[in-house]
PDB file of all heavy atoms in Angstrom:
ATOM      1  N   GLY A 113     -18.859  -6.322   8.895  1.00 94.00           N
ATOM      2  CA  GLY A 113     -18.264  -5.989   7.606  1.00 94.00           C
ATOM      3  C   GLY A 113     -18.899  -6.800   6.500  1.00 94.00           C
ATOM      4  O   GLY A 113     -19.716  -7.683   6.747  1.00 94.00           O
ATOM      5  N   LEU A 114     -18.514  -6.475   5.286  1.00 93.00           N
ATOM      6  CA  LEU A 114     -19.064  -7.181   4.133  1.00 93.00           C
ATOM      7  C   LEU A 114     -18.408  -8.553   3.984  1.00 93.00           C
ATOM      8  O   LEU A 114     -17.309  -8.779   4.471  1.00 93.00           O
ATOM      9  CB  LEU A 114     -18.857  -6.368   2.857  1.00 93.00           C
ATOM     10  CG  LEU A 114     -19.604  -5.040   2.770  1.00 93.00           C
ATOM     11  CD1 LEU A 114     -19.357  -4.381   1.427  1.00 93.00           C
ATOM     12  CD2 LEU A 114     -21.106  -5.231   3.015  1.00 93.00           C
ATOM     13  N   GLN A 115     -19.109  -9.424   3.311  1.00 91.00           N
ATOM     14  CA  GLN A 115     -18.576 -10.759   3.007  1.00 91.00           C
ATOM     15  C   GLN A 115     -17.293 -10.629   2.179  1.00 91.00           C
ATOM     16  O   GLN A 115     -17.254  -9.836   1.260  1.00 91.00           O
ATOM     17  CB  GLN A 115     -19.627 -11.535   2.240  1.00 91.00           C
ATOM     18  CG  GLN A 115     -19.346 -13.006   2.102  1.00 91.00           C
ATOM     19  CD  GLN A 115     -20.493 -13.709   1.444  1.00 91.00           C
ATOM     20  OE1 GLN A 115     -21.652 -13.542   1.831  1.00 91.00           O
ATOM     21  NE2 GLN A 115     -20.198 -14.467   0.407  1.00 91.00           N
ATOM     22  N   GLY A 116     -16.296 -11.389   2.584  1.00 92.00           N
ATOM     23  CA  GLY A 116     -15.067 -11.357   1.824  1.00 92.00           C
ATOM     24  C   GLY A 116     -14.088 -10.273   2.238  1.00 92.00           C
ATOM     25  O   GLY A 116     -12.983 -10.164   1.704  1.00 92.00           O
ATOM     26  N   SER A 117     -14.482  -9.445   3.213  1.00 95.00           N
ATOM     27  CA  SER A 117     -13.594  -8.361   3.646  1.00 95.00           C
ATOM     28  C   SER A 117     -12.426  -8.890   4.459  1.00 95.00           C
ATOM     29  O   SER A 117     -11.417  -8.206   4.648  1.00 95.00           O
ATOM     30  CB  SER A 117     -14.373  -7.333   4.467  1.00 95.00           C
ATOM     31  OG  SER A 117     -14.948  -7.955   5.596  1.00 95.00           O
ATOM     32  N   GLY A 118     -12.589 -10.105   4.980  1.00 95.00           N
ATOM     33  CA  GLY A 118     -11.526 -10.692   5.816  1.00 95.00           C
ATOM     34  C   GLY A 118     -11.945 -10.787   7.282  1.00 95.00           C
ATOM     35  O   GLY A 118     -11.102 -10.891   8.175  1.00 95.00           O
ATOM     36  N   LYS A 119     -13.235 -10.778   7.502  1.00 96.00           N
ATOM     37  CA  LYS A 119     -13.783 -10.744   8.882  1.00 96.00           C
ATOM     38  C   LYS A 119     -13.389 -11.972   9.695  1.00 96.00           C
ATOM     39  O   LYS A 119     -12.923 -11.835  10.824  1.00 96.00           O
ATOM     40  CB  LYS A 119     -15.322 -10.651   8.780  1.00 96.00           C
ATOM     41  CG  LYS A 119     -15.915  -9.831   9.860  1.00 96.00           C
ATOM     42  CD  LYS A 119     -17.318  -9.337   9.554  1.00 96.00           C
ATOM     43  CE  LYS A 119     -17.984  -9.907   8.332  1.00 96.00           C
ATOM     44  NZ  LYS A 119     -18.337 -11.300   8.467  1.00 96.00           N
ATOM     45  N   THR A 120     -13.601 -13.151   9.107  1.00 96.00           N
ATOM     46  CA  THR A 120     -13.337 -14.366   9.872  1.00 96.00           C
ATOM     47  C   THR A 120     -11.842 -14.521  10.138  1.00 96.00           C
ATOM     48  O   THR A 120     -11.418 -14.853  11.251  1.00 96.00           O
ATOM     49  CB  THR A 120     -13.898 -15.577   9.096  1.00 96.00           C
ATOM     50  OG1 THR A 120     -15.289 -15.354   8.883  1.00 96.00           O
ATOM     51  CG2 THR A 120     -13.738 -16.866   9.896  1.00 96.00           C
ATOM     52  N   THR A 121     -11.045 -14.263   9.118  1.00 96.00           N
ATOM     53  CA  THR A 121      -9.589 -14.337   9.282  1.00 96.00           C
ATOM     54  C   THR A 121      -9.147 -13.372  10.376  1.00 96.00           C
ATOM     55  O   THR A 121      -8.332 -13.690  11.248  1.00 96.00           O
ATOM     56  CB  THR A 121      -8.896 -13.931   7.954  1.00 96.00           C
ATOM     57  OG1 THR A 121      -9.487 -14.688   6.885  1.00 96.00           O
ATOM     58  CG2 THR A 121      -7.415 -14.195   8.004  1.00 96.00           C
ATOM     59  N   THR A 122      -9.678 -12.146  10.339  1.00 97.00           N
ATOM     60  CA  THR A 122      -9.301 -11.128  11.316  1.00 97.00           C
ATOM     61  C   THR A 122      -9.747 -11.498  12.728  1.00 97.00           C
ATOM     62  O   THR A 122      -9.040 -11.229  13.692  1.00 97.00           O
ATOM     63  CB  THR A 122      -9.871  -9.746  10.894  1.00 97.00           C
ATOM     64  OG1 THR A 122      -9.446  -9.453   9.563  1.00 97.00           O
ATOM     65  CG2 THR A 122      -9.405  -8.657  11.836  1.00 97.00           C
ATOM     66  N   LYS A 125      -7.211 -13.800  13.915  1.00 97.00           N
ATOM     67  CA  LYS A 125      -5.945 -13.087  14.154  1.00 97.00           C
ATOM     68  C   LYS A 125      -5.984 -12.340  15.498  1.00 97.00           C
ATOM     69  O   LYS A 125      -5.044 -12.373  16.273  1.00 97.00           O
ATOM     70  CB  LYS A 125      -5.696 -12.058  13.043  1.00 97.00           C
ATOM     71  CG  LYS A 125      -5.251 -12.624  11.713  1.00 97.00           C
ATOM     72  CD  LYS A 125      -5.106 -11.485  10.687  1.00 97.00           C
ATOM     73  CE  LYS A 125      -4.534 -11.949   9.356  1.00 97.00           C
ATOM     74  NZ  LYS A 125      -4.434 -10.848   8.386  1.00 97.00           N
ATOM     75  N   ARG A 147     -24.107 -19.038   5.674  1.00 83.00           N
ATOM     76  CA  ARG A 147     -23.056 -19.839   5.015  1.00 83.00           C
ATOM     77  C   ARG A 147     -22.524 -20.829   6.062  1.00 83.00           C
ATOM     78  O   ARG A 147     -21.683 -20.488   6.876  1.00 83.00           O
ATOM     79  CB  ARG A 147     -21.904 -18.920   4.588  1.00 83.00           C
ATOM     80  CG  ARG A 147     -22.177 -18.140   3.322  1.00 83.00           C
ATOM     81  CD  ARG A 147     -20.884 -17.516   2.785  1.00 83.00           C
ATOM     82  NE  ARG A 147     -20.098 -16.905   3.831  1.00 83.00           N
ATOM     83  CZ  ARG A 147     -18.795 -17.059   3.997  1.00 83.00           C
ATOM     84  NH1 ARG A 147     -18.110 -17.828   3.195  1.00 83.00           N
ATOM     85  NH2 ARG A 147     -18.155 -16.456   4.984  1.00 83.00           N
ATOM     86  N   GLN A 153     -15.338 -22.757   9.049  1.00 94.00           N
ATOM     87  CA  GLN A 153     -14.076 -22.037   8.805  1.00 94.00           C
ATOM     88  C   GLN A 153     -13.502 -21.503  10.130  1.00 94.00           C
ATOM     89  O   GLN A 153     -12.311 -21.633  10.396  1.00 94.00           O
ATOM     90  CB  GLN A 153     -14.343 -20.864   7.839  1.00 94.00           C
ATOM     91  CG  GLN A 153     -13.083 -20.105   7.443  1.00 94.00           C
ATOM     92  CD  GLN A 153     -13.420 -18.792   6.707  1.00 94.00           C
ATOM     93  OE1 GLN A 153     -14.578 -18.524   6.372  1.00 94.00           O
ATOM     94  NE2 GLN A 153     -12.416 -17.969   6.492  1.00 94.00           N
ATOM     95  N   LEU A 157     -10.053 -22.511  12.097  1.00 95.00           N
ATOM     96  CA  LEU A 157      -9.081 -21.480  12.475  1.00 95.00           C
ATOM     97  C   LEU A 157      -8.816 -21.568  13.992  1.00 95.00           C
ATOM     98  O   LEU A 157      -7.687 -21.347  14.453  1.00 95.00           O
ATOM     99  CB  LEU A 157      -9.611 -20.085  12.131  1.00 95.00           C
ATOM    100  CG  LEU A 157      -9.494 -19.694  10.656  1.00 95.00           C
ATOM    101  CD1 LEU A 157     -10.241 -18.394  10.374  1.00 95.00           C
ATOM    102  CD2 LEU A 157      -8.033 -19.535  10.259  1.00 95.00           C
ATOM    103  N   ASP A 196     -18.190 -13.154  15.470  1.00 97.00           N
ATOM    104  CA  ASP A 196     -17.965 -12.929  14.033  1.00 97.00           C
ATOM    105  C   ASP A 196     -19.319 -12.959  13.326  1.00 97.00           C
ATOM    106  O   ASP A 196     -19.906 -14.026  13.133  1.00 97.00           O
ATOM    107  CB  ASP A 196     -17.046 -14.061  13.510  1.00 97.00           C
ATOM    108  CG  ASP A 196     -16.721 -13.924  12.047  1.00 97.00           C
ATOM    109  OD1 ASP A 196     -16.893 -12.822  11.490  1.00 97.00           O
ATOM    110  OD2 ASP A 196     -16.265 -14.934  11.450  1.00 97.00           O
ATOM    111  N   VAL A 226     -14.462  -4.508   9.700  1.00 97.00           N
ATOM    112  CA  VAL A 226     -13.359  -5.045   8.888  1.00 97.00           C
ATOM    113  C   VAL A 226     -13.615  -4.587   7.452  1.00 97.00           C
ATOM    114  O   VAL A 226     -14.672  -4.836   6.888  1.00 97.00           O
ATOM    115  CB  VAL A 226     -13.308  -6.573   8.963  1.00 97.00           C
ATOM    116  CG1 VAL A 226     -12.168  -7.113   8.091  1.00 97.00           C
ATOM    117  CG2 VAL A 226     -13.120  -7.027  10.419  1.00 97.00           C
ATOM    118  N   LEU A 253      -8.272  -2.522   8.713  1.00 95.00           N
ATOM    119  CA  LEU A 253      -8.110  -2.504   7.243  1.00 95.00           C
ATOM    120  C   LEU A 253      -7.352  -3.733   6.830  1.00 95.00           C
ATOM    121  O   LEU A 253      -6.204  -3.928   7.272  1.00 95.00           O
ATOM    122  CB  LEU A 253      -7.323  -1.280   6.829  1.00 95.00           C
ATOM    123  CG  LEU A 253      -8.050  -0.040   6.350  1.00 95.00           C
ATOM    124  CD1 LEU A 253      -7.032   0.898   5.722  1.00 95.00           C
ATOM    125  CD2 LEU A 253      -9.184  -0.343   5.400  1.00 95.00           C
ATOM    126  N   THR A 254      -7.962  -4.557   6.012  1.00 96.00           N
ATOM    127  CA  THR A 254      -7.283  -5.770   5.562  1.00 96.00           C
ATOM    128  C   THR A 254      -6.643  -5.556   4.170  1.00 96.00           C
ATOM    129  O   THR A 254      -6.894  -4.557   3.518  1.00 96.00           O
ATOM    130  CB  THR A 254      -8.273  -6.952   5.444  1.00 96.00           C
ATOM    131  OG1 THR A 254      -9.300  -6.587   4.531  1.00 96.00           O
ATOM    132  CG2 THR A 254      -8.874  -7.273   6.786  1.00 96.00           C
ATOM    133  N   ARG A 255      -5.845  -6.530   3.788  1.00 95.00           N
ATOM    134  CA  ARG A 255      -5.127  -6.515   2.502  1.00 95.00           C
ATOM    135  C   ARG A 255      -4.247  -5.269   2.364  1.00 95.00           C
ATOM    136  O   ARG A 255      -4.077  -4.753   1.264  1.00 95.00           O
ATOM    137  CB  ARG A 255      -6.111  -6.624   1.321  1.00 95.00           C
ATOM    138  CG  ARG A 255      -6.899  -7.932   1.380  1.00 95.00           C
ATOM    139  CD  ARG A 255      -7.375  -8.392   0.042  1.00 95.00           C
ATOM    140  NE  ARG A 255      -8.070  -9.657   0.203  1.00 95.00           N
ATOM    141  CZ  ARG A 255      -9.352  -9.755   0.593  1.00 95.00           C
ATOM    142  NH1 ARG A 255     -10.051  -8.672   0.806  1.00 95.00           N
ATOM    143  NH2 ARG A 255      -9.895 -10.948   0.732  1.00 95.00           N
ATOM    144  N   ALA A 256      -3.716  -4.818   3.507  1.00 92.00           N
ATOM    145  CA  ALA A 256      -2.763  -3.722   3.466  1.00 92.00           C
ATOM    146  C   ALA A 256      -1.448  -4.187   2.841  1.00 92.00           C
ATOM    147  O   ALA A 256      -0.572  -3.406   2.551  1.00 92.00           O
ATOM    148  CB  ALA A 256      -2.543  -3.180   4.860  1.00 92.00           C
ATOM    149  N   ASP A 257      -1.328  -5.507   2.666  1.00 91.00           N
ATOM    150  CA  ASP A 257      -0.152  -6.080   2.001  1.00 91.00           C
ATOM    151  C   ASP A 257      -0.297  -6.002   0.491  1.00 91.00           C
ATOM    152  O   ASP A 257       0.656  -6.224  -0.249  1.00 91.00           O
ATOM    153  CB  ASP A 257       0.031  -7.552   2.415  1.00 91.00           C
ATOM    154  CG  ASP A 257      -1.247  -8.379   2.269  1.00 91.00           C
ATOM    155  OD1 ASP A 257      -2.295  -7.935   2.777  1.00 91.00           O
ATOM    156  OD2 ASP A 257      -1.191  -9.440   1.630  1.00 91.00           O
ATOM    157  N   GLY A 258      -1.490  -5.686   0.017  1.00 86.00           N
ATOM    158  CA  GLY A 258      -1.741  -5.663  -1.414  1.00 86.00           C
ATOM    159  C   GLY A 258      -1.357  -4.323  -2.013  1.00 86.00           C
ATOM    160  O   GLY A 258      -0.709  -3.497  -1.364  1.00 86.00           O
ATOM    161  N   LEU A 279      -4.128  -3.349  11.086  1.00 95.00           N
ATOM    162  CA  LEU A 279      -3.982  -3.634   9.653  1.00 95.00           C
ATOM    163  C   LEU A 279      -3.795  -5.127   9.460  1.00 95.00           C
ATOM    164  O   LEU A 279      -2.987  -5.730  10.156  1.00 95.00           O
ATOM    165  CB  LEU A 279      -2.739  -2.930   9.101  1.00 95.00           C
ATOM    166  CG  LEU A 279      -2.694  -1.422   9.008  1.00 95.00           C
ATOM    167  CD1 LEU A 279      -1.344  -0.998   8.426  1.00 95.00           C
ATOM    168  CD2 LEU A 279      -3.822  -0.892   8.127  1.00 95.00           C
ATOM    169  N   GLY A 280      -4.517  -5.676   8.503  1.00 96.00           N
ATOM    170  CA  GLY A 280      -4.282  -7.042   8.085  1.00 96.00           C
ATOM    171  C   GLY A 280      -3.246  -7.006   6.974  1.00 96.00           C
ATOM    172  O   GLY A 280      -3.410  -6.279   5.997  1.00 96.00           O
ATOM    173  N   VAL A 281      -2.151  -7.754   7.154  1.00 95.00           N
ATOM    174  CA  VAL A 281      -1.076  -7.673   6.163  1.00 95.00           C
ATOM    175  C   VAL A 281      -0.727  -9.025   5.531  1.00 95.00           C
ATOM    176  O   VAL A 281       0.399  -9.239   5.113  1.00 95.00           O
ATOM    177  CB  VAL A 281       0.204  -7.016   6.763  1.00 95.00           C
ATOM    178  CG1 VAL A 281      -0.058  -5.554   7.074  1.00 95.00           C
ATOM    179  CG2 VAL A 281       0.653  -7.744   8.025  1.00 95.00           C
ATOM    180  N   GLY A 282      -1.732  -9.910   5.498  1.00 96.00           N
ATOM    181  CA  GLY A 282      -1.472 -11.202   4.872  1.00 96.00           C
ATOM    182  C   GLY A 282      -2.547 -12.201   5.307  1.00 96.00           C
ATOM    183  O   GLY A 282      -3.386 -11.885   6.127  1.00 96.00           O
ATOM    184  N   GLU A 283      -2.479 -13.404   4.745  1.00 95.00           N
ATOM    185  CA  GLU A 283      -3.516 -14.387   5.046  1.00 95.00           C
ATOM    186  C   GLU A 283      -3.246 -15.148   6.331  1.00 95.00           C
ATOM    187  O   GLU A 283      -4.149 -15.698   6.915  1.00 95.00           O
ATOM    188  CB  GLU A 283      -3.611 -15.371   3.868  1.00 95.00           C
ATOM    189  CG  GLU A 283      -3.947 -14.685   2.560  1.00 95.00           C
ATOM    190  CD  GLU A 283      -4.567 -15.643   1.548  1.00 95.00           C
ATOM    191  OE1 GLU A 283      -5.325 -16.525   1.954  1.00 95.00           O
ATOM    192  OE2 GLU A 283      -4.265 -15.495   0.369  1.00 95.00           O
ATOM    193  N   ARG A 284      -1.993 -15.181   6.728  1.00 94.00           N
ATOM    194  CA  ARG A 284      -1.645 -15.971   7.932  1.00 94.00           C
ATOM    195  C   ARG A 284      -2.152 -15.271   9.189  1.00 94.00           C
ATOM    196  O   ARG A 284      -2.233 -14.045   9.239  1.00 94.00           O
ATOM    197  CB  ARG A 284      -0.132 -16.155   8.037  1.00 94.00           C
ATOM    198  CG  ARG A 284       0.437 -17.170   7.074  1.00 94.00           C
ATOM    199  CD  ARG A 284       1.783 -17.688   7.612  1.00 94.00           C
ATOM    200  NE  ARG A 284       2.534 -16.696   8.360  1.00 94.00           N
ATOM    201  CZ  ARG A 284       3.505 -15.943   7.848  1.00 94.00           C
ATOM    202  NH1 ARG A 284       3.836 -16.043   6.569  1.00 94.00           N
ATOM    203  NH2 ARG A 284       4.157 -15.075   8.605  1.00 94.00           N
ATOM    204  N   GLN A 287      -0.348 -12.333  10.715  1.00 96.00           N
ATOM    205  CA  GLN A 287      -0.115 -11.136   9.901  1.00 96.00           C
ATOM    206  C   GLN A 287      -1.113 -10.021  10.214  1.00 96.00           C
ATOM    207  O   GLN A 287      -1.978  -9.695   9.401  1.00 96.00           O
ATOM    208  CB  GLN A 287      -0.093 -11.525   8.418  1.00 96.00           C
ATOM    209  CG  GLN A 287       1.150 -12.356   8.105  1.00 96.00           C
ATOM    210  CD  GLN A 287       1.180 -12.872   6.685  1.00 96.00           C
ATOM    211  OE1 GLN A 287       0.161 -13.345   6.157  1.00 96.00           O
ATOM    212  NE2 GLN A 287       2.334 -12.805   6.053  1.00 96.00           N
TER     213      GLN A 287
HETATM  214  P1  LIG B  20     -15.010 -12.895   5.436  1.00 94.38           P
HETATM  215  O1  LIG B  20     -15.961 -13.363   4.395  1.00 94.38           O
HETATM  216  O2  LIG B  20     -15.108 -11.413   5.629  1.00 94.38           O
HETATM  217  O3  LIG B  20     -15.061 -13.632   6.719  1.00 94.38           O
HETATM  218  O4  LIG B  20     -13.541 -13.079   4.788  1.00 94.38           O
HETATM  219  P2  LIG B  20     -12.436 -14.193   5.095  1.00 94.38           P
HETATM  220  O5  LIG B  20     -11.854 -13.983   6.456  1.00 94.38           O
HETATM  221  O6  LIG B  20     -12.957 -15.537   4.750  1.00 94.38           O
HETATM  222  O7  LIG B  20     -11.310 -13.737   4.073  1.00 94.38           O
HETATM  223  C1  LIG B  20     -11.485 -13.778   2.687  1.00 94.38           C
HETATM  224  C2  LIG B  20     -10.121 -14.012   2.017  1.00 94.38           C
HETATM  225  O8  LIG B  20      -9.259 -12.925   2.262  1.00 94.38           O
HETATM  226  C3  LIG B  20      -9.410 -15.232   2.569  1.00 94.38           C
HETATM  227  O9  LIG B  20      -8.793 -15.906   1.500  1.00 94.38           O
HETATM  228  C4  LIG B  20      -8.333 -14.639   3.487  1.00 94.38           C
HETATM  229  O10 LIG B  20      -7.228 -15.466   3.614  1.00 94.38           O
HETATM  230  C5  LIG B  20      -8.012 -13.354   2.789  1.00 94.38           C
HETATM  231  N1  LIG B  20      -7.514 -12.296   3.699  1.00 94.38           N
HETATM  232  C6  LIG B  20      -8.057 -11.867   4.852  1.00 94.38           C
HETATM  233  N2  LIG B  20      -7.321 -10.875   5.392  1.00 94.38           N
HETATM  234  C7  LIG B  20      -6.268 -10.663   4.548  1.00 94.38           C
HETATM  235  C8  LIG B  20      -5.129  -9.768   4.553  1.00 94.38           C
HETATM  236  O11 LIG B  20      -4.934  -8.913   5.431  1.00 94.38           O
HETATM  237  N3  LIG B  20      -4.266  -9.858   3.477  1.00 94.38           N
HETATM  238  C9  LIG B  20      -4.449 -10.775   2.488  1.00 94.38           C
HETATM  239  N4  LIG B  20      -3.564 -10.797   1.493  1.00 94.38           N
HETATM  240  N5  LIG B  20      -5.509 -11.635   2.442  1.00 94.38           N
HETATM  241  C10 LIG B  20      -6.387 -11.571   3.462  1.00 94.38           C
END
Side-chain angles (χ1 to χ4, degrees):
L114 294 183
Q115 192 175 310
S117 59
K119 215 161 9 70
T120 304
T121 310
T122 305
K125 285 177 175 179
R147 282 193 315 133
Q153 184 191 352
L157 282 171
D196 181 18
V226 179
L253 262 193
T254 59
R255 299 205 178 83
D257 50 309
L279 291 180
V281 293
E283 301 202 36
R284 285 203 327 263
Q287 290 175 317

